[in-house]
Amino acid sequence: MGGRQLRAAPGTRPTQDKVRQAIFSALGEAIVGVRVLDLFAGTGALGLEAYSRGAESVCWVESNARAAGLLQQTVRELCPDAGRVVQADAVSFLRRAPEGVSYELVLADPPYDRDGRLQWQEKTLPLLRAGSIVAPRGVIVFEMSADEVPIDAPGWARIWERTYGDTRVCMWQREMGTGT
């Protein structure tokens, strides 16, 4: 968002500029007018970038209270009508997602799962598929460690994958006729 330095809580790993630019170059004009869900939001950089490129609205979800507070301040200052910040664990948020709310783009940048114990892909993708939170043909962008292996999840087609240093980014698109 205009080269501004975003506030980061201790322990937050903001998406590198080159990775963020690659993601949004790959998405292109598909970002315009969509509703965005930014899971594991941290500084909110991905959701803010989506909004600055024409997304209709953004819902940022961040579990860390300090990071969520800083993000709320940033949203209020830069784009008060962009959407909302929810302080919640991303997986819990998805499990209790309200009916009738769906997003065309989901951005997920969880802590890197270098030892395979966190299993963010395995926890997140089925929840996104099972519910109606992702619109038909919706896209999820998932950032992970370059060491992590992207999974093949039922109901999702992997449409894009790139590695930048120690970061891998994958995009999956929800297949038609899957989920509810």
Side-chain angles (χ1 to χ4, degrees), residues 1-8 14-17 20-21 43-46 48-49 51-52 70-71 73-80:
M1 296 253 335
R4 293 184 94 119
Q5 186 69 26
L6 299 177
R7 298 175 192 101
T15 299
Q16 299 171 34
D17 288 342
R20 190 172 63 248
Q21 293 305 316
T43 63
L46 291 175
L48 290 164
E49 185 76 26
Y51 189 73
S52 75
L70 291 171
L71 177 54
Q73 261 184 295
T74 301
V75 169
R76 238 189 333 265
E77 291 169 9
L78 298 179
C79 48

Side-chain angles (χ1 to χ4, degrees), residues 149-168:
V149 177
I151 65 170
D152 289 321
W156 293 97
R158 195 171 343 145
I159 59 172
W160 189 84
E161 179 180 342
R162 300 289 187 279
T163 302
Y164 304 92
D166 68 344
T167 300
R168 181 186 316 265

Side-chain angles (χ1 to χ4, degrees), residues 9-160:
T12 323
R13 178 193 40 79
T15 299
Q16 299 171 34
D17 288 342
K18 69 179 178 183
V19 174
R20 190 172 63 248
Q21 293 305 316
I23 290 168
F24 287 96
S25 290
L27 291 168
E29 292 298 313
I31 195 77
V32 176
V34 301
R35 292 175 308 272
V36 177
L37 177 61
D38 186 351
L39 299 171
F40 311 95
T43 63
L46 291 175
L48 290 164
E49 185 76 26
Y51 189 73
S52 75
R53 290 179 180 243
E56 177 184 309
S57 63
V58 180
C59 176
W60 290 270
V61 179
E62 173 54 48
S63 63
N64 179 289
R66 181 150 184 223
L70 291 171
L71 177 54
Q72 182 65 54
Q73 261 184 295
T74 301
V75 169
R76 238 189 333 265
E77 291 169 9
L78 298 179
C79 48
D81 298 327
R84 64 190 178 118
V85 176
V86 177
Q87 185 194 338
D89 170 76
V91 173
S92 298
F93 175 85
L94 292 174
R95 284 191 178 124
R96 68 182 198 308
E99 289 292 320
V101 177
S102 66
Y103 301 91
E104 291 87 10
L105 177 62
V106 178
L107 304 166
D109 183 12
Y112 285 174
D113 190 10
R114 296 187 195 279
D115 60 11
R117 290 185 299 127
L118 300 173
Q119 300 184 331
W120 294 120
Q121 293 176 80
E122 292 86 344
K123 292 175 183 175
T124 308
L125 289 174
L127 289 171
L128 289 166
R129 183 182 143 261
S132 61
I133 197 163
V134 179
R137 306 293 296 160
V139 171
I140 180 169
V141 177
F142 207 99
E143 190 175 327
M144 63 190 82
S145 164
D147 299 332
E148 290 179 65
V149 177
I151 65 170
D152 289 321
W156 293 97
R158 195 171 343 145
I159 59 172
W160 189 84

